[in-house]
Amino acid sequence: MLSAEEWGIVALSLKVGGIAVLATLPLAFALAWLLARRSFPGRVLLDGLVHLPLVLPPVVTGWLLLIAFGPFGPAGRWLESWFGVSLMFRWTGAALAAAIMALPLMVRAMRLSIEGIDRRLEGAARTLGAGRWHCFWTISLPLALPGVLAALVLGFARSIGEFGATITFVSNIPGETRTLPLAIYSALQVPGAEAMVTRLALLSVALSLGALVLSEWLVRRTHGGRRLRGD
Amino acid sequence: MAIDIDVEKRLGDRLIAARFSAGPGLTALFGPSGVGKTSILNMVAGLLRPDRGHIRIGARALFGDGIDLPPEARRIGYVFQDGRLFPHRRVRANLVYGHDLTDPAKRWMSLDEAVDFLGIGDLLGRWPASLSGGEAQRVAIGRALLRGPDCLLMDEPLSSLDAARRGDIMAVIERIRDELKLPILYVSHDRAEVDRLATSVIALDT
């Protein structure tokens, strides 16, 4: 099956993708809520900014990250002086690149589910004595939950497939930033590594397909499953 | 306890204006659809903000003179046309939703009493989507009563039911009016319903 090196690549990819979506989740949900529920000046601009990584060439996103988080970039200097941390050429940088690329997909999925909440149910909860926050935690969030889970799965799948922004921002360092797609790319440069390319590519297909199926199932599930169990 | 209402609200190019006082018993707001009956109930519940006026229950001001209580502070039971049960909570969890949020001193009905009163003991473990229209409306009434409200708002609670179920729910409403002595503000466009249920009628027209 897989060699130790290949297992290391898979483990790194899962770590980078997992951290990326979990760290992005609160921000993505807040953005989705804001875009679904509030109207404010600059809403269209914010919407555009969130979606930008979806249409921008990934290499440009990576270059912008390099400028912002490099040793002389504003965010890079700030992280360095306050926390002594640098994201350059580190797996955390790969996670940041993956998070930025996954953000639009996550916001879209969550926004759809938030827009799908019947707001009259929230009104009913208020008349029953629920304040805004209680109403959010007990009514809105549970009703939006399938969309949130779908966003997590979809964002995760996007994260472990991230290539362009990652290689531009944190390069291709074995054991540190060489995730699945970068490893496939590297193996393609080496004569005789076709078998490795095939194994890693099949693994990529399986992971992505699994994530898509799971997220579709979660979206369809909404509350249909509970209804059936109630009968 | 009288419900004093004097409100005005512009919605698009429609002006909804109402001034009346509802005494004990069931006060029917009667009129054709489109005159803003539901909007008046929403203003009383705090779901729609009047442009001006006041709303009082007994000595308690809900709106007016700088006061605008949020819906959760009004303690008014609202039974919606479509039941509006929470789809992700079983019947029991729907019933106690408002009960749990109510100061125990202000509650005047326990879960067991409400379940007996409405005859919904068999439904407690069910999901709302599996209920018939009549069952769902009973649960919705129970949920509103368990909030321990000062008065009840009912927005055409019979309109989604067949004739047989209508009779059942009308009997329940009569018992709320006569046994629980809860003031009810009741919206309808059905003459027969109003004739049977109403203590007093307020006719609204455009």
Side-chain angles (χ1 to χ4, degrees):
Chain A
M1 277 292 285
L2 298 184
S3 69
E5 184 200 355
E6 288 163 353
W7 275 119
I9 290 164
V10 171
L12 176 68
S13 294
L14 297 179
K15 178 168 80 169
V16 166
I19 296 287
V21 286
L22 288 179
T24 317
L25 182 66
L27 174 69
F29 188 84
L31 285 168
W33 187 270
L34 216 59
L35 292 170
R37 287 290 176 90
R38 299 264 184 271
S39 60
F40 51 91
R43 187 171 170 283
V44 177
L45 186 67
L46 182 67
D47 200 15
L49 278 176
V50 167
H51 283 86
L52 203 55
L54 207 58
V55 289
L56 212 57
V59 62
V60 175
T61 306
W63 178 71
L64 289 172
L65 284 172
L66 204 54
I67 289 181
F69 288 89
F72 305 110
R77 262 201 301 225
W78 180 79
L79 279 176
E80 182 75 52
S81 63
W82 282 84
F83 302 102
V85 178
S86 171
L87 302 182
M88 291 282 291
F89 309 118
R90 302 296 312 278
W91 72 269
T92 42
L96 176 66
I100 300 246
M101 299 303 288
L103 186 71
L105 283 178
M106 294 176 71
V107 171
R108 275 179 95 84
M110 289 194 268
R111 182 179 171 176
L112 279 177
S113 75
I114 292 167
E115 283 169 351
I117 298 172
D118 184 351
R119 299 196 64 175
R120 299 171 312 161
L121 292 173
E122 295 172 348
R126 299 290 301 275
T127 68
L128 289 164
R132 284 176 195 284
W133 280 106
H134 190 80
C135 179
F136 174 78
W137 289 112
T138 58
I139 307 296
S140 321
L141 188 59
L143 289 174
L145 203 56
V148 173
L149 295 176
L152 269 179
V153 179
L154 214 56
F156 180 69
R158 179 68 189 80
S159 288
I160 55 174
E162 214 318 283
F163 179 79
T166 309
I167 203 167
T168 313
F169 178 38
V170 292
S171 182
N172 187 356
I173 302 164
E176 186 68 39
T177 66
R178 182 171 289 176
T179 55
L180 257 176
L182 275 68
I184 294 173
Y185 174 77
S186 304
L188 278 171
Q189 318 290 311
V190 183
E194 288 82 6
M196 184 181 179
V197 171
T198 307
R199 282 197 300 275
L200 291 179
L202 284 176
L203 203 62
S204 275
V205 172
L207 280 173
S208 307
L209 199 61
L212 282 176
V213 169
L214 185 60
S215 105
E216 185 68 13
W217 179 77
L218 285 168
V219 169
R220 278 173 196 278
R221 189 179 170 276
T222 37
H223 297 286
R226 291 179 203 183
R227 275 179 208 171
L228 288 177
R229 270 190 284 127
D231 283 337
Chain B
M1 189 159 7
I3 309 166
D4 254 312
I5 295 171
D6 177 6
V7 288
E8 235 179 70
K9 173 79 183 173
R10 184 166 285 284
L11 281 179
D13 51 3
R14 276 198 307 154
L15 180 70
I16 295 158
R19 185 165 69 204
F20 59 87
S21 182
L26 187 147
T27 305
L29 298 183
F30 177 73
S33 29
V35 295
K37 303 187 294 289
T38 300
S39 298
I40 293 170
L41 290 195
N42 284 342
M43 286 190 258
V44 176
L47 298 176
L48 184 67
R49 197 175 187 282
D51 294 335
R52 50 145 235 94
H54 67 254
I55 300 165
R56 291 188 207 104
I57 296 187
R60 205 155 68 91
L62 304 182
F63 181 84
D65 300 328
I67 294 170
D68 182 9
L69 292 184
E72 62 267 27
R74 296 196 175 196
R75 289 207 305 112
I76 287 177
Y78 199 156
V79 178
F80 301 91
Q81 196 171 351
D82 50 0
R84 241 175 259 190
L85 298 177
F86 305 130
H88 59 302
R89 296 176 156 246
R90 289 176 194 265
V91 166
R92 175 193 291 276
N94 264 281
L95 286 170
V96 298
Y97 187 87
H99 196 61
D100 288 348
L101 290 167
T102 305
D103 176 359
K106 299 252 166 82
R107 296 174 187 161
W108 46 256
M109 199 176 218
S110 70
L111 177 62
D112 289 343
E113 286 166 349
V115 166
D116 279 350
F117 184 84
L118 295 160
I120 51 176
D122 298 341
L123 309 178
L124 292 177
R126 303 255 297 267
W127 293 102
S130 74
L131 301 178
S132 71
E135 289 170 336
Q137 209 52 279
R138 277 170 193 268
V139 174
I141 291 171
R143 186 176 70 171
L145 292 178
L146 282 166
R147 167 67 177 147
D150 284 344
C151 77
L152 205 56
L153 309 177
M154 301 186 117
D155 184 10
E156 310 214 19
L158 309 179
S159 61
S160 60
L161 307 180
D162 57 51
R165 294 290 154 276
R166 278 171 180 247
D168 286 358
I169 300 292
M170 274 201 255
V172 169
I173 294 170
E174 284 172 328
R175 289 176 57 217
I176 295 171
R177 183 191 65 194
D178 302 334
E179 291 172 31
L180 303 179
K181 306 236 181 280
L182 193 64
I184 303 171
L185 215 52
Y186 187 100
V187 156
S188 176
H189 64 263
D190 184 301
R191 184 83 245 179
E193 252 176 58
V194 169
D195 285 345
R196 171 166 166 188
L197 295 173
T199 314
S200 52
V201 178
I202 289 158
L204 297 167
D205 44 73
T206 41

